[in-house]
Amino acid sequence: MKGFTTIDLVILVVYLAAVLYAGLHFSKKEMKGKEFFKGDGTIPWWVTSVSIFATLLSPISFLSLAGNSYGGTWILWFAQLGMLIAIPLTIRFFLPIYSKLDIDTAYHYLELRFRSKGLRVLGAVMFIIYQIGRMSIIMYLPSMVLSNLTGINVNILIIVMGVIAIIYSYTGGLKSVLWTDFIQGSVLLIGVTFALIFLIFHIDGGMGSIFGAFQAGKFLGGDEAIFDWNFLKNSVFIIIVGAGLNTCSSYISSQDIVQRFTTTTDTKKLNKMMLTNGALSIFIATVFYLIGTGLYVFYGQNPELAQTVQQDQIFASFIAYQLPVGITGVLLAAIYAASQSTLSTGLNSVATSWTLDIQERLSKKEMSFKLQTRIAQFVSLGVGIVAILISMVLANGEIKSAYEWFNGFMGLVLGVLGGTFVLGAFTKVATTLGAYVAFGVSAVVIIWVKYTQPEVSIWSYSLITIGISVVVGLVVSYIHRAVTGNRELPDDKTTIYGIGKKKEEA
């Protein structure tokens, strides 16, 4: 229509003010210690479920999923079906362990399983560095898109996004973050679904034309294999399996997700949380891919309406120039929502991990709940400011590719953590030395594969890291035990072998 109007700007501002109000409303004046990090026990499971969904769906996904099917096929949609692997594995093997141990953080598990403060600190450091980089990029990329569409200075957009997230993360802790994530996720779901319905009604032939595009090769290309015996090459099968293991690694070893599991020890609620999150994730991914194929058909029928040919900006362009005035503001707010939910989660999870995994482990004196909370608040504030500054540097410089390389590098190292968790949970013989060596070897190998073997599918990385972690970890552990004569085994509660035991026996 006419692009971003004053009415849309007003809607965006009102939305941001409402999010800030909600974040402050759902927080307590005094959120100390466990309440700041885990909530106060009043958060419904369905709120936490939508929060996980909103956290995993970053604005990068928001902009790129529709772009994938617009410029290509649906082959990457199959990555969402990895949920069908990740969720059962997490529910069956890891949630019972985490619930029984009542862990404070993801890396608390490593300390309990391997009796090693060092592994706990290592895991936390890897996560924190990765998360700071991720938060910076998540503020930078959508702010650039919105700046191009709205004319608002990109630095202002970055600062506003960061400051709002810092305020309610600082004041309310996890409870405030979860409730605001719920609002952001709901806005995203409703807004994107409306965009699809609007698009279908403005395509000649509606859904029939979209299905016609499927038959013309927009679902799977002729060179895209369903299955390939060489698991290092792309195929639908390896995408599903690889994405499933990637997502499972995120569920079990990434503090921003595991922190949601610490809000309750009720396994039934945890299972509902996971299943609802999976259903929402597959639903919204399908909507995005339908939008992408729909945009391909729409602009094919109306080439004169195209404002951009850039794949990752095509959906944002449609929002700004084709949707009715007012709805544009709501949908652009949804993009902002995806950013803020991921950002606020990142701030709170980093503050929690730093305080409980690093500060408390290295402190010679036991810290009071009040001191823990104050440290976490200051860390949240400091990390938020650093992320804002890095994001502004990215927006005003030419170091995007270098920083994306850094983020990708840290993502690989963080992914190796998943292998360490699998090693600990599925074996009794794995020792601390075995875990350290497995972590180091798998990290070196996967980085070598990433940067020297471009023909290897990225979807096979999880198979490589988990496989190496388990094999190397077991071999080193057996040798270590043989040399030292160590016969000590971990507490059954820290492995899958304690799942079937009653709590009083465990």
Side-chain angles (χ1 to χ4, degrees), residues 56 88 161 175 219 353 504-505:
L56 289 174
M161 183 190 298
K175 180 178 181 179
F219 188 70
S353 191
E504 59 267 21
E505 295 175 352

Side-chain angles (χ1 to χ4, degrees), residues 424-446:
F426 282 84
T427 72
K428 286 185 176 182
V429 299
T431 63
T432 304
L433 178 63
Y436 274 118
V437 175
F439 181 94
V441 172
S442 58
V444 169
V445 170
I446 200 60

Side-chain angles (χ1 to χ4, degrees), residues 4 7-17 152 329 332-333 336:
F4 192 75
I7 295 175
D8 296 315
L9 177 60
V10 170
I11 290 173
L12 181 60
V13 171
V14 169
Y15 170 79
L16 293 176
I152 301 174
L332 291 180
Y336 224 60

Side-chain angles (χ1 to χ4, degrees), residues 115-131:
R115 298 184 178 93
S116 169
K117 291 183 179 181
L119 268 179
R120 181 174 183 174
V121 172
L122 174 64
V125 169
M126 292 295 100
F127 169 76
I128 289 171
I129 296 174
Y130 162 77
Q131 194 62 244

Side-chain angles (χ1 to χ4, degrees), residues 373-434:
T373 305
R374 293 301 294 166
I375 291 173
Q377 287 176 325
F378 283 125
V379 169
S380 180
L381 175 63
V383 168
I385 293 172
V386 169
I388 288 173
L389 293 175
I390 294 175
S391 188
M392 291 171 67
V393 170
L394 290 173
N396 295 279
E398 299 296 329
I399 60 171
K400 172 185 173 184
S401 60
Y403 202 73
E404 285 182 340
W405 178 90
F406 168 79
N407 191 57
F409 173 80
M410 287 314 304
L412 288 174
V413 175
L414 184 64
V416 173
L417 274 174
T420 308
F421 278 73
V422 170
L423 175 68
F426 282 84
T427 72
K428 286 185 176 182
V429 299
T431 63
T432 304
L433 178 63

